[in-house]
Amino acid sequence: MPVPSLPKPPEGGHSISRVVVALVAVVVAAAILLGSSPVDAAARKVKLGVSMTEGSRDIAVMDEIKAETGRYPAIWTVWSAWGNANTKKFPSDMVKKIKARGAVPLVFWEPVQKFGVCTDHARFKKIKNGKFDWYIKSWAKAAKASKTKILLRFAHEVNGRYFPWTVGSCGNTVADYKAAWKRVYNLVRNKVGARNVQFVWTVAKKSCPGGCNPYKRFYPGNQYVQWVGFSNFNWGAHSGNWAPMAKGIKPVMGKFKQFTKKQVI
C-alpha cells in the first residue's frame, strides 16, 4: 500500500512519533471523506506536507524526517511577504533545497509589509491598479527561472479578519480582492509566462463573525485557480479536546463542491 508523505509536526518540536500518529489519522479521515477504505484513500495519493513557523528556513528538519521515516514530505512551505526586506524576493535558494529533496515548495505569498499596519501592500485596490506590477513581475521571473513546480498561496484566508489584506481590513472589498487576484495571476502566468507557478486559493474554515463571508463569494473563478484549499486548526493541545479530523474537513469540502471541482489542499 502506498504511504502518503508526512503531515505537519507539532509546533515547538520535531516529534516524529506524534507525526506518524497524525499520519494514520489523516489516511483514515481521507477514507471517510472519499467513501472508501484507508487502502483506497492511500491509493488515491493523499499527499501530506510540513508547514514551519513563518520565517523559518530550517531545511534540516526535512532531513530529520527522512532519517526517521525513510522519506521526505511531499510539500514544504516557505513564507514570502511583499514588504519584508528579508523575505520579499523569490526564495530561490530554499526552493532549490526543497526540489533537491523531491518535495514541492508551497509559498505563502503575503501582500503585507508589517502585520497590524495598513500599508499599500495590503490594499487590493492598489494592487489591482498596478502599483506593485514591477515587484510581481520581478518575483515571477525568478520563479520561472527556478524551473520547478511552485504552489503559490497568495493572500490566504481572505475571509478572516486578522490580516491586513483580508476583506474588511484596510478598506479592502471583495470586488477589489478578486480584481487584484486576477491581475496578479495574469502577470505571473501570462505576462511573465511562469507556467510552473500554480495558484492556490485558500480560505479560513471559519469566516468572520456571523458567517458574513461565504466561500463562493470570494472565488475568482476556475480559470484563475489551479488548487483550492482551507485552513483547519485542531486546538486539542491547548484545550485538551481533540476533534475528529473528518469533522473539520468534510463540511468545507461539501461547500467547495458547490462551486468548483478543483483539487484541494
Side-chain angles (χ1 to χ4, degrees):
M1 164 178 126
V3 179
S5 302
L6 289 175
K8 174 183 176 181
E11 293 185 6
H14 305 151
S15 174
I16 298 300
S17 62
R18 291 176 64 184
V19 171
V20 174
V21 171
L23 170 62
V24 177
V26 170
V27 174
V28 173
I32 294 171
L33 295 172
L34 297 173
S36 57
S37 69
V39 174
D40 291 334
R44 295 188 192 202
K45 298 185 178 181
V46 176
K47 294 183 181 294
L48 304 173
V50 172
S51 178
M52 295 293 288
T53 303
E54 184 167 2
S56 174
R57 298 290 171 92
D58 188 3
I59 199 70
V61 179
M62 284 191 77
D63 296 329
E64 291 175 16
I65 293 174
K66 174 65 160 53
E68 292 288 343
T69 68
R71 64 187 305 145
Y72 286 114
I75 295 173
W76 194 265
T77 63
V78 187
W79 304 75
S80 177
W82 289 26
N84 186 313
N86 297 319
T87 66
K88 66 181 182 181
K89 291 183 179 180
F90 178 77
S92 298
D93 290 342
M94 191 65 177
V95 165
K96 287 179 182 177
K97 293 175 182 178
I98 295 170
K99 181 182 179 181
R101 289 160 174 79
V104 176
L106 171 62
V107 181
F108 289 19
W109 206 23
E110 302 174 309
V112 68
Q113 182 174 37
K114 185 177 180 180
F115 289 94
V117 179
C118 287
T119 62
D120 284 348
H121 304 80
R123 293 188 171 99
F124 289 124
K125 185 172 290 186
K126 296 292 184 179
I127 297 173
K128 79 170 186 178
N129 289 337
K131 179 169 183 175
F132 295 98
D133 283 6
W134 63 274
Y135 166 71
I136 296 167
K137 288 189 286 187
S138 175
W139 199 96
K141 288 176 182 177
K144 181 180 179 180
S146 72
K147 297 182 180 180
T148 189
K149 179 179 179 179
I150 305 292
L151 298 175
L152 187 61
R153 190 184 188 220
F154 167 61
H156 58 280
E157 300 175 22
V158 72
N159 62 321
R161 283 292 178 89
Y162 35 81
F163 295 134
W165 64 80
T166 54
V167 168
S169 299
C170 301
N172 289 321
T173 66
V174 174
D176 286 341
Y177 161 68
K178 293 168 77 170
W181 178 284
K182 293 174 183 178
R183 187 179 190 91
V184 172
Y185 182 96
N186 282 322
L187 284 171
V188 173
R189 285 181 56 88
N190 298 328
K191 186 72 174 179
V192 173
R195 309 295 290 186
N196 57 310
V197 176
Q198 298 183 5
F199 276 67
V200 182
W201 175 84
T202 60
V203 293
K205 178 190 171 185
K206 292 184 178 180
S207 58
C208 64
C212 60
N213 295 331
Y215 308 139
K216 184 178 179 179
R217 180 185 174 204
F218 295 89
Y219 193 55
N222 285 331
Q223 66 269 44
Y224 299 102
V225 172
Q226 278 71 52
W227 297 79
V228 298
F230 62 98
S231 302
N232 177 50
F233 298 95
N234 200 333
W235 298 106
H238 298 279
S239 67
N241 297 314
W242 289 95
M245 187 171 291
K247 183 179 179 180
I249 295 175
K250 194 169 184 178
V252 184
M253 296 287 283
K255 291 179 180 179
F256 279 175
K257 287 181 180 179
Q258 296 173 10
F259 59 89
T260 184
K261 294 182 180 179
K262 295 290 184 177
Q263 295 185 89
V264 177
I265 291 182

